[in-house]
Amino acid sequence: MSKICVIGTGYVGLVTGTCFAELGNQVTCLDTDPVRINGLLQGQMPIYEPGLEQLVEQNVQAKRLHFTQDYQSALEGAEYAFIAVGTPSGVDGEADLQYVKAAAESIADIVDFPILVINKSTVPVGTGDWVADIIRRRRGNRPLEFAVVSNPEFLREGSAINDFMAPDRVVLGSEDRSSANRVAELYKPLRCTIMVTDLRTAEMIKYASNAFLATRISFINEIGNMCEDLGADVREVAQGMGLDKRIGRHFLDAGLGWGGSCFPKDVKALEHMAVLHGTQPQLLQAVMEINRNQRRRAVMKLRKALGTLNEKTIGILGISFKPNTDDIRDSAAVEIMHLLINEGAHIQAYDPQAMDNAAKVLKKVKLCESPYEVAEGADALLLATEWNEFKQIDFAKIKELIRNPLILDGRNLWDYDLLKSMGFTYMGIGRGNN
Ligand code: UDX
Ligand code: UDX
């Protein structure tokens, strides 16, 4: 059993802390946001993540998991301090590290015993060294025995607990291998592959992994756009490609493109790092441009089908950036709504989990209670996020409610033949053969 402090109770910090507690450790999660901490102390989750509420409750009951705003009590006796604070995009795409700096300085001010400082947040290559310098400078002539270890997260929102408990790999980077090996001890119960390397390589593995996944998605979207002109079906193209073990079927779903709090931020940050150090990241720039265009293409398809978007009512199903999360950060649905509103369209939308987050930012959108309210009086229906509950909606009822039976299936979720037989005009993504 180890004593762990996790700084930041966001999508990553809260899952990380709770899972370490589940593995039998004593964990204190700290956050500087009083609303978040007060909510957690009353058992309220700040985020929607399947299975998290129950796991938090179990570990709080077992007195393994604690929440606080106070750095002193959070770090007391801790052997490990995980930094899992936000690293949002700065003005021209670089990662904003102010919160990482604040966390490192707090650790330096408070800790007077040996500690391992672990960067869980996604941070630019070289940040581990920078964090070590911050701590050393902050300590001045007060010695402190510490090491910095990079331990990037590979958690997907909506499956974060499983991704933590059954990871494909754990990556650890440090200039002091023994420190990385001590962090590896925490992951031993998972019986997974643990890769130990140096700090910068570990930091780059994170960015390269996310950028490659985003590249796959932009690739299949570009192929999908070609399929629309050449009369092929991108879903079957992806299936045929995926049978090649070297390619695999994952992350080859054409649609409205990638969003969320990671891919956009991480691809931009990697591009910024490259340009800053004199490399021209043409591929990354193309990957981002294709993704931006994928959202605009959806708007173009609706404009073409309706003749104009001005004064048209567009129903949008799904607001979160992907299913099984309430996160709407850089969601394709949200950007498409803004593009449509800019052309005079009226938007009505529904999401199974993201309505609270949507209400905070989507002031010009009519937020509905159900998919059927979204369809009522609409000139077109856009499926933006492929929530399971949208798979089996009652299309007969939709047909009665919708003003104009036009569907743009942004995630190729629905059955073209069924909808066509019901009198809908169906548009998918990359579905050149229909
Ligand atoms: C984090 C990292 O930001 C990102 O780099 C990584 O890729 C995924 O994990 P996330 O967990 O989604 O992202 O961050 P977010 O949901 O923004 O939560 C960050 C938390 O840190 C917030 O609760 C915020 O209040 C807290 N925080 C922020 C601190 O506790 N201290 C600070 O100084 C700043
Ligand atoms: C991602 C990485 O998968 C994870 O390893 C990393 O730690 C954090 O970033 P996440 O952003 O939660 O996780 O979601 P993910 O499931 O990767 O989807 C990212 C985006 O790509 C979503 O907008 C999703 O809709 C889109 N996507 C995904 C596609 O458009 N097509 C696909 O085939 C897969």
Side-chain angles (χ1 to χ4, degrees):
M1 187 278 287
S2 300
K3 193 143 179 0
I4 298 170
C5 167
V6 177
I7 301 166
T9 60
Y11 287 91
V12 173
L14 183 55
V15 170
T16 299
T18 305
C19 289
F20 272 135
E22 179 68 8
L23 293 177
N25 299 290
Q26 271 298 323
V27 178
T28 301
C29 290
L30 175 139
D31 204 295
T32 52
D33 177 352
V35 173
R36 214 161 253 242
I37 289 298
N38 294 335
L40 283 163
L41 289 170
Q42 292 160 42
Q44 290 152 19
M45 294 302 109
I47 57 170
Y48 171 76
E49 184 61 44
L52 184 62
E53 184 164 6
Q54 187 195 345
L55 206 60
V56 166
E57 190 186 338
Q58 274 167 226
N59 283 280
V60 167
Q61 295 294 339
K63 302 199 182 323
R64 286 193 299 264
L65 181 59
H66 315 276
F67 297 107
T68 182
Q69 263 194 279
D70 171 49
Y71 263 105
Q72 191 75 42
S73 57
L75 286 164
E76 204 170 322
E79 301 158 79
Y80 304 87
F82 281 81
I83 298 178
V85 294
T87 52
S89 289
V91 172
D92 55 3
E94 87 286 5
D96 176 352
L97 297 177
Q98 60 173 304
Y99 305 124
V100 172
K101 184 168 183 285
E105 288 175 340
S106 298
I107 293 167
D109 290 347
I110 289 163
V111 173
D112 274 322
F113 43 82
I115 193 161
L116 290 175
V117 179
I118 301 108
N119 279 338
K120 177 60 80 175
S121 293
T122 304
V123 290
V125 177
T127 304
D129 298 326
W130 178 73
V131 166
D133 287 346
I134 288 172
I135 294 174
R136 271 193 286 276
R137 277 204 306 275
R138 192 81 174 187
R139 292 294 295 190
N141 54 16
R142 293 181 301 147
L144 175 66
E145 192 186 325
F146 78 98
V148 175
V149 175
S150 165
N151 175 209
E153 51 85 19
F154 298 105
L155 308 178
R156 288 165 297 164
E157 290 180 22
S159 56
I161 292 170
N162 182 63
D163 289 347
F164 185 100
M165 291 299 195
D168 290 341
R169 79 305 201 185
V170 169
V171 171
L172 298 168
S174 181
E175 298 324 305
D176 162 28
R177 291 299 167 107
S178 66
S179 299
N181 291 332
R182 278 182 53 206
V183 179
E185 288 303 310
L186 294 176
Y187 290 100
K188 282 273 163 53
L190 302 182
R191 293 189 178 77
C192 63
T193 304
I194 299 178
M195 178 184 174
V196 176
T197 181
D198 61 78
L199 262 175
R200 288 172 179 260
T201 303
E203 290 161 343
M204 178 53 94
I205 289 171
K206 169 66 186 175
Y207 279 104
S209 299
N210 267 10
F212 181 72
L213 291 167
T215 301
R216 281 177 71 100
I217 296 165
S218 285
F219 175 81
I220 199 64
N221 279 331
E222 184 159 77
I223 294 295
N225 298 338
M226 293 179 204
C227 286
E228 290 179 0
D229 300 329
L230 296 168
D233 183 335
V234 73
R235 295 172 316 157
E236 299 201 7
V237 168
Q239 192 182 340
M241 290 171 64
L243 293 170
D244 182 325
K245 287 190 193 59
R246 295 168 302 171
I247 300 174
R249 179 62 187 81
H250 293 298
F251 278 71
L252 277 183
D253 295 330
L256 298 176
W258 39 270
S261 67
C262 291
F263 282 2
K265 162 177 70 69
D266 296 349
V267 178
K268 261 190 288 193
L270 187 56
E271 182 212 18
H272 183 266
M273 269 180 254
V275 171
L276 208 60
H277 292 83
T279 319
Q280 198 48 36
Q282 299 104 310
L283 181 58
L284 288 183
Q285 285 161 346
V287 164
M288 289 190 284
E289 186 54 26
I290 292 167
N291 199 55
R292 270 192 292 277
N293 285 340
Q294 207 60 12
R295 295 154 181 213
R296 296 189 192 106
R297 274 179 75 95
V299 173
M300 180 202 64
K301 284 181 178 177
L302 290 169
R303 186 189 312 115
K304 206 166 149 201
L306 293 170
T308 175
L309 290 167
N310 191 32
E311 294 305 322
K312 296 292 182 184
T313 298
I314 312 292
I316 297 184
L317 293 184
I319 303 174
S320 59
F321 80 94
K322 61 181 266 195
N324 302 316
T325 181
D326 63 347
D327 199 345
I328 65 172
R329 287 179 285 187
D330 210 334
S331 165
V334 172
E335 183 180 355
I336 289 169
M337 286 179 199
H338 291 316
L339 292 170
L340 291 169
I341 290 167
N342 287 347
E343 295 198 31
H346 302 287
I347 307 298
Q348 46 201 45
Y350 164 76
D351 186 279
Q353 285 293 339
M355 298 308 270
D356 292 348
N357 287 332
K360 291 175 197 157
V361 294
L362 298 176
K363 303 301 180 194
K364 293 185 184 169
V365 171
K366 181 188 171 200
L367 296 176
C368 301
E369 307 278 313
S370 75
Y372 304 105
E373 193 185 344
V374 165
E376 205 165 342
D379 296 299
L381 184 64
L382 165 65
L383 187 281
T385 312
E386 67 281 23
W387 281 93
N388 269 337
E389 73 173 70
F390 297 147
K391 280 204 174 84
Q392 306 297 339
I393 55 176
D394 178 350
F395 282 108
K397 193 170 171 188
I398 295 283
K399 185 82 177 344
E400 278 169 25
L401 292 164
I402 202 165
R403 179 162 47 211
N404 174 35
L406 170 66
I407 281 182
L408 173 52
D409 182 355
R411 300 289 181 179
N412 290 332
L413 181 69
W414 290 324
D415 179 334
Y416 163 72
D417 294 324
L418 168 71
L419 291 173
K420 188 161 170 45
S421 71
M422 295 177 77
F424 286 95
T425 302
Y426 175 96
M427 300 186 290
I429 304 287
R431 313 284 288 282
N433 52 354
N434 57 52

